[in-house]
Amino acid sequence: MRRATCAKWGASAVAVALVTAGCGGGSGASRSGVVSASWGDPQNPLEPANTNEVQGGKVLEMLFRGLKRYNPKTGAAEDVIADRIATADSQNFTVTLKDGWTFSNGEKVTAKSFVDAWNYGALLTNKQKNASFFQYIDGFAQVHPDRGSPRAKTLSGLVVKDEKTFTVRLNQKFSSWPDTLGYSAFMPLPQSFFRDHDAWIAKPVGNGPYTVDSYEKGSVLRMRKWGNYPGDDPARNGGIDLRVYTDSNTAYTDLQAGNLDLVDDVPAAQLKNVKADLGGRYINQPAGIIQTLAFPMYDKRWGRPGAEKVRRGLSMAIDRDQITREIFQRTRTPATDWTSPVLGADGGYKAGLCGAACEFNPAKAKQLIKEGGGLPGGRITLAYNADTGSHKDWIDAICNSINKSLGEDQACVGDPIGTFADFRNKITARRMSGPFRAGWQMDYPLIQNFLQPLYYTNASSNDGKFSNASFDKLVNEANAETDAAKAVSTFQDAEKVLAAQMPAIPLWYQNGSGGYSDRISNVALNPFSVPVYNEIKVN
Amino acid sequence: MGRYVIRRLLQMIPVFIGSTFLIFFMVYALGDPVAAMFGDRAPDPATAARIRRDLYLDEPLWKQYLHYMGQIFQGNFGTAFNGQSVTELMASAFPVTLRLTLVAIAIEMVVGIVLGVLSGLRRGRDIDTTVLVLTLVVVSIPTFVSGYLLQLVFGVQWAWAAPSVAPEAPLNELLLPGLVLALVSLAYVTRLTRTSIAENARADYVRTALAKGLPRHRVITRHLLRNSLIPVVTFIGTDIGALMGGAIVTERIFNIHGVGYQLYQGILRQNSPTVVGFVTILVLVFLLANLLVDLLYAVLDPRIRYA
C-alpha cells in the first residue's frame, strides 16, 4: 500500500515538472531580413507625449514621423510632413501639411491629428510627462495650471484652419520654435488613440516606416517594415526586433555568439576588448550629451559673491584628458563649452569657449580657490547615484585629481546616494550641500536646448537654481532674434556668462557607442546616439 | 492530518500580513519614486501631484497599506509604472521562473543524491575525497562568477548553448542557467546525503536487511536511502523558495524575464506594487513548500504522524 502511494507521489511530481517545463517553447517569427537589437524596458507606456527617455524614444522614432525630423547625420531639422511653417513675427505660426501622408491603419494625417495630439499632451489630467514641451503655446496655463484643475480642455493657441492647415500662437517670441518640432512629443496621433486608448497602448499605430507586429511588454517588441510608407526614408530591412536586456554585458555576449545583430550600449568593462572583438563593426561617435558637475547655488556657501573663483578653481583642478583616456577609453571627449560638438560650428558649438577655466592647471586652481575663500568647510563632497551607470569610477577619479592638484588628501570625496529616485528627490528638494553629478541629453539639436532649460532662472532642469539677470536677458534676446547666425552668437554671449560664473563645471561630451554583427551593414548612430534603424541593411 | 494542515494554513495569515507590511514599509522608506520618472528633468509639480494622487502616494503610509491590502483581497495587485497590471507581470514572470527552478531542483536532486550516495557508501576512498573537494570548490564560487564563466565557455566559445534565453524560455535553453542556479545547492545536497548515508549505513536495520540476504541495490534504495533522505528533503523544500527569489543574479546574467528580473526592475524604479506583490507571492511559495516538506516526512518515515 504505502509503496504505491510513494510511487504515485513521485510520478505526479515528475508529471508536474514535465508539464510546466514543456509549456514554454514556440519559436519566434522568422528572422530573414529582420534585425535584432538590444533594448531597455521603456519606463512609461509608449505614448509620444509621455516618453521622456531614450529607450521609448527610439521606438517612437521608428513608428512616427512628425512635422520635422532631425537629419540623422547632421542633426539639422528638416521638413517631413510640414510643407511650410510660416511666421512674420516669430510668435504666430501657420503650419501647412504635405499631401499623401496616412497612418498605417489607413487614416489620413491631417491638421487635426496634430492639434488633437498636442492638446492631449498638454492637458494636466492626462498626466503626460512631456507636457512642459507645450508650455510656449498660448493657453498652456489654462490646460495645465500649477495647481487645481484645468480651466480649459484645449490650447487656445492652436486653431485648425482646414484639413491641411493649422495656426499656432505662442505666448512669447521664439524664432527657433519650428526647429523643436522634430521632438517625439510633437508627433501626430490617429483618432484610434482617443477612441480606444488601451488597445492603442497595447499595439501602437503610427505613421512611420515601421508598424508594430507584436509587443510583449518587458521582453520583446517586434516591428515590421510598413510597405505603404509614404515618406522618402523607408525601411531598408524587413523589420526590427527590439529585445529587452537587463544587463548590457549579456547583450554584448549575445552579439559575440551571433545571437543578436546590434547593441547600442557597449558595457564599460568591454571597452578595452571591443576593437579586437568587433574590428570595424564598433561605432564610437559624438552624441548630444554633456556631463557636468552642478553646484547648489541656493546654498549660501556656493551662491555667495566670490565663490565663482572657487568654482572656476575646482574646474581647473580636474584633469579631463587623463580621465577620459583612462576610465572611458576615449568614449568621452573633454568639454570646453556647455553645448555639444554635434551642433556643429553653425549650430552654436564653440570649442574653447570656456577658456582657461576648463584647462587643467593645478597651480592656478590652488591659487584661485585660495583667493575665493577656500573650499567651504575645507572639503567638498561630490554626490552621485550609485545604482546605475557606474558613476563611482569617474567621481572617484575627479576627486583624486582635485586632491592631487590641491595637495590635500581629503579635499574631495564622493558621496554615493542609493537610488536614482532618491538622488533626484534630494536635488528637486534643494537638499544638496556640495557639487553633484549632472548630465544633459539634448531634446533637439539647438544651442537653446543646452542653455535655457539648464541655466535660465527657474527653468525646468535648472537643478542648481542658478539665476543671473544678464544670462536671462541674453537668452531672451537670442530667442527673439530672427536671424539664425545672430541668435547663435547671442546664445554664445550668454554662455560666456556661464564661463565667468561657472554654475556647472563642464566635464566631457559623451559619445554614443555601439557594435554590430557581420549580418548587417550601413549602421550608424544619429546625434542622439540612437541607431538609425531604418537605414540598416541585412547582408 | 487534516487538522494539522488546516492549522498550518491558518498560521500563514499572520505571516502573510506581517511580511507584506514589512516589505511595504521598506519599499516606502526608499523614498518618493515620482521624481525619477521624469529622468534628469525636474518633475513638473502639477503632473507629479496628479501621478502621486493616482498611486495613493499622497496618503499616510498606514492608509496606503490598508488600501493596498483591500485591493489585494479583490485580486488586484495594483499597476506598475509602465501601465501594466502587476497580475499581468506575474502571469508572465512566474511560469518562467518556476520552470527555471524546477530545472534547477531536478538537476540538484538527481546529481546531488547520486553523488551523495556514491561518496557516502565509499567514505574515505578516492571518489569520496574527489566529491568533497569538488563540492567545496563549487560552494566557494559565487553564482555570478560561475554564471558568466559558463556562459562564456558554453555559450560563446563552444557554442553548445545559447548565451541568453529567448523570451519564451524554452526548456532546452534553461538547462545552462538551471545548472548555474543549482550549483551551490547541489553541493549542499551532495554533502547532506553523504553524511546521512554514511551514518545510516552502519545502522542495525541495514545490517539486518543485508543478513536477510536482500540484494544490495534493494537495501540501498528501499531501506537506506529512504531513511537518509529526511534532512535532504528538508533542505530541498526550503530551497524552492530560496531559488525562486534568489534567481535574480542568474536571470540577469542569462537575460531571463522572470521573477528576479521583475523584482530588480521594481526595486530600481521603486515600484512598490511590483515589489510587494511579487515578494508576497514568494512568501506564499515558501510557506507552502515548507508545509509540503513537513507532510513528506510522514511519507518517508511512517513513525512521524500528524494526528
Side-chain angles (χ1 to χ4, degrees):
Chain A
M1 267 306 272
R2 218 179 297 123
R3 193 182 305 159
T5 335
C6 192
K8 236 191 281 168
W9 274 80
S12 49
V14 170
V16 168
L18 286 179
V19 168
T20 346
C23 70
S27 57
S30 106
R31 264 188 80 190
S32 74
V34 175
V35 179
S36 60
S38 68
W39 193 34
D41 201 12
Q43 211 168 352
N44 306 303
L46 292 169
E47 301 165 284
N50 208 15
T51 296
N52 58 355
E53 38 76 58
V54 177
Q55 303 303 340
K58 61 171 85 151
V59 178
L60 295 180
E61 160 71 17
M62 286 183 258
L63 294 181
F64 284 96
R65 285 293 178 266
L67 293 172
K68 295 219 177 212
R69 181 180 186 226
Y70 302 114
N71 185 300
K73 279 206 184 72
T74 63
E78 294 166 352
D79 286 347
V80 179
I81 299 184
D83 190 33
R84 230 154 43 88
I85 303 176
T87 179
D89 57 0
S90 297
Q91 191 164 0
N92 289 285
F93 295 84
T94 306
V95 181
T96 321
L97 308 183
K98 279 184 194 144
D99 269 331
W101 280 84
T102 59
F103 292 97
S104 59
N105 62 4
E107 203 179 295
K108 273 178 107 175
V109 179
T110 64
K112 193 170 151 57
S113 316
F114 284 96
V115 170
D116 285 355
W118 295 5
N119 279 327
Y120 181 89
L123 188 60
L124 175 59
T125 46
N126 293 329
K127 296 167 294 189
Q128 302 286 291
K129 297 189 181 73
N130 281 335
S132 60
F133 279 82
F134 305 98
Q135 64 183 325
Y136 300 108
I137 299 174
D138 218 11
F140 183 74
Q142 276 75 47
V143 299
H144 198 104
D146 286 341
R147 60 193 64 212
S149 295
R151 294 183 292 279
K153 288 247 174 216
T154 53
L155 290 158
S156 58
L158 293 177
V159 181
V160 178
K161 290 289 176 196
D162 57 49
E163 197 169 77
K164 275 171 52 190
T165 323
F166 66 100
T167 60
V168 185
R169 190 175 63 252
L170 304 185
N171 48 27
Q172 64 177 72
K173 282 184 189 293
F174 189 174
S175 61
S176 54
W177 179 77
D179 288 347
T180 68
L181 297 177
Y183 188 67
S184 55
F186 296 103
M187 295 300 139
L189 285 169
Q191 290 305 309
S192 62
F193 176 88
F194 305 100
R195 267 202 312 271
D196 190 349
H197 189 244
D198 288 346
W200 193 93
I201 290 293
K203 196 174 175 182
V205 172
N207 63 337
Y210 291 96
T211 58
V212 174
D213 181 52
S214 69
Y215 183 16
E216 292 160 45
K217 279 196 180 159
S219 58
V220 61
L221 170 62
R222 296 193 172 92
M223 279 172 289
R224 292 296 169 263
K225 177 182 174 151
W226 178 32
N228 297 327
Y229 175 66
D232 53 11
D233 55 344
R236 296 167 82 171
N237 47 55
I240 308 280
D241 282 355
L242 291 179
R243 286 158 51 182
V244 174
Y245 282 87
T246 31
D247 187 344
S248 57
N249 278 301
T250 310
Y252 189 77
T253 312
D254 256 1
L255 175 71
Q256 282 181 297
N259 226 0
L260 186 74
D261 294 324
L262 174 66
V263 297
D264 55 2
D265 176 24
V266 177
Q270 304 284 0
L271 286 174
K272 277 183 185 151
N273 327 323
V274 66
K275 280 203 189 101
D277 287 346
L278 298 175
R281 291 179 279 113
Y282 167 59
I283 314 170
N284 176 22
Q285 69 180 58
I289 307 170
I290 183 168
Q291 251 123 35
T292 61
L293 281 182
F295 291 93
M297 303 299 280
Y298 45 82
D299 185 313
K300 262 185 258 145
R301 299 171 306 168
W302 291 109
R304 72 183 162 81
E308 72 274 2
K309 283 193 175 168
V310 181
R311 299 194 294 265
R312 283 168 62 94
L314 281 172
S315 172
M316 294 167 93
I318 300 169
D319 190 348
R320 295 170 178 76
D321 192 53
Q322 193 191 17
I323 296 173
T324 51
R325 193 176 60 234
E326 302 288 329
I327 293 188
F328 293 120
Q329 307 288 325
R330 300 228 172 270
T331 57
R332 308 278 194 281
T333 312
T336 54
D337 79 340
W338 281 263
T339 66
S340 162
V342 297
L343 293 180
D346 292 342
Y349 167 68
K350 192 169 181 186
L353 187 141
C354 177
C358 288
E359 281 159 28
F360 179 54
N361 187 343
K364 192 82 201 295
K366 212 169 164 178
Q367 184 203 337
L368 264 178
I369 291 174
K370 206 172 160 200
E371 280 174 25
L375 296 176
R379 59 199 295 244
I380 56 165
T381 54
L382 303 187
Y384 62 97
N385 58 307
D387 55 346
T388 49
S390 49
H391 298 303
K392 184 181 190 306
D393 296 348
W394 62 263
I395 288 277
D396 286 349
I398 286 183
C399 270
N400 197 12
S401 182
I402 291 176
N403 290 343
K404 260 205 243 159
S405 304
L406 303 186
E408 285 174 56
D409 273 357
Q410 294 295 317
C412 171
V413 286
D415 173 19
I417 293 174
T419 62
F420 181 65
D422 202 18
F423 181 63
R424 289 304 310 173
N425 276 324
K426 285 205 163 91
I427 290 173
T428 41
R430 303 187 179 200
R431 288 212 314 267
M432 288 294 178
S433 57
F436 52 92
R437 172 188 89 79
W440 183 250
Q441 171 146 28
M442 65 180 185
D443 303 310
Y444 24 80
L446 294 177
I447 183 172
Q448 179 266 349
N449 191 240
F450 281 94
L451 301 180
Q452 190 167 4
L454 291 157
Y455 308 109
Y456 194 84
T457 302
N458 285 327
S460 64
S461 298
N462 189 345
D463 286 341
K465 303 293 165 200
F466 175 69
S467 176
N468 182 293
S470 55
F471 178 84
D472 291 358
K473 187 168 152 280
L474 286 164
V475 166
N476 287 339
E477 277 172 26
N479 275 330
E481 184 59 61
T482 44
D483 177 52
K486 189 83 201 316
V488 161
S489 81
T490 314
F491 272 123
Q492 283 170 342
D493 290 342
E495 222 181 321
K496 282 172 193 147
V497 177
L498 299 183
Q501 291 296 318
M502 197 63 80
I505 298 177
L507 294 173
W508 34 72
Y509 313 116
Q510 186 172 324
N511 287 9
S513 69
Y516 53 97
S517 72
D518 49 17
R519 231 187 118 239
I520 58 174
S521 58
N522 204 28
V523 186
L525 302 179
N526 69 14
F528 302 89
S529 87
V530 171
V532 190
Y533 290 99
N534 60 302
E535 297 291 334
I536 296 173
K537 287 186 211 156
V538 179
N539 301 333
Chain B
M1 179 86 163
R3 285 181 65 181
Y4 174 78
V5 172
I6 290 171
R7 207 174 70 221
R8 286 289 302 264
L9 287 175
L10 285 177
Q11 279 173 359
M12 287 186 189
I13 295 171
V15 177
F16 177 80
I17 294 175
S19 55
T20 46
F21 183 75
L22 273 179
I23 301 153
F24 204 88
F25 186 77
M26 285 190 286
V27 177
Y28 181 88
L30 285 173
D32 180 3
V34 176
M37 289 183 197
F38 290 80
D40 279 325
R41 207 179 297 276
D44 128 50
T47 311
R50 290 264 163 173
I51 294 174
R52 265 191 209 107
R53 205 171 70 193
D54 269 20
L55 297 172
Y56 284 88
L57 290 170
D58 54 351
E59 300 282 351
L61 182 59
W62 64 271
K63 265 195 189 167
Q64 286 188 41
Y65 180 70
L66 286 186
H67 173 259
Y68 179 77
M69 290 309 276
Q71 292 218 302
I72 277 196
F73 284 113
Q74 295 161 29
N76 178 2
F77 277 83
T79 312
F81 297 156
N82 68 358
Q84 267 182 299
S85 72
V86 173
T87 31
E88 213 177 296
L89 292 180
M90 287 177 179
S92 73
F94 270 101
V96 172
T97 300
L98 191 63
R99 268 207 299 279
L100 177 65
T101 312
L102 286 175
V103 170
I105 295 270
I107 294 175
E108 167 180 334
M109 264 167 42
V110 174
V111 182
I113 292 177
V114 168
L115 281 181
V117 170
L118 283 180
S119 60
L121 290 176
R122 291 176 177 74
R123 219 153 52 106
R125 310 238 201 105
D126 285 352
I127 183 161
D128 184 35
T129 322
T130 319
V131 168
L132 279 182
V133 170
L134 275 181
T135 50
L136 191 68
V137 170
V138 166
V139 170
S140 55
I141 298 178
T143 309
F144 72 90
V145 175
S146 57
Y148 278 123
L149 201 71
L150 293 182
Q151 182 189 43
L152 188 71
V153 173
F154 289 108
V156 180
Q157 287 176 342
W158 297 350
W160 285 3
S164 75
V165 175
E168 303 85 16
L171 186 62
N172 58 337
E173 292 187 4
L174 286 177
L175 288 178
L176 185 60
L179 177 67
V180 170
L181 186 59
L183 270 181
V184 173
S185 306
L186 175 78
Y188 285 122
V189 170
T190 308
R191 289 185 155 227
L192 272 176
T193 315
R194 173 188 174 273
T195 316
S196 191
I197 289 270
E199 221 168 74
N200 288 333
R202 283 172 300 186
D204 292 342
Y205 68 87
V206 175
R207 210 182 317 134
T208 312
L210 285 172
K212 272 201 304 189
L214 282 180
R216 193 175 149 80
H217 73 266
R218 198 174 162 78
V219 176
I220 293 170
T221 50
R222 283 280 160 224
H223 299 255
L224 180 55
L225 196 55
R226 187 161 168 181
N227 276 287
S228 308
L229 275 185
I230 288 185
V232 180
V233 165
T234 312
F235 176 77
I236 292 177
T238 49
D239 208 34
I240 293 177
L243 285 181
M244 286 193 85
I248 293 186
V249 176
T250 315
E251 291 193 354
R252 193 173 150 86
I253 293 172
F254 292 95
N255 201 38
I256 301 170
H257 298 271
V259 173
Y261 165 73
Q262 296 293 354
L263 271 177
Y264 177 74
Q265 290 283 67
I267 290 169
L268 214 58
R269 292 177 181 173
Q270 298 195 8
N271 201 342
S272 26
T274 316
V275 179
V276 182
F278 273 81
V279 174
T280 304
I281 299 290
L282 283 179
V283 168
L284 289 181
V285 169
F286 209 87
L287 290 173
L288 285 173
N290 270 308
L291 176 61
L292 198 68
V293 167
D294 285 354
L295 295 180
L296 267 182
Y297 287 163
V299 177
L300 287 171
D301 186 346
R303 286 171 300 179
I304 302 173
R305 284 184 195 288
Y306 305 102

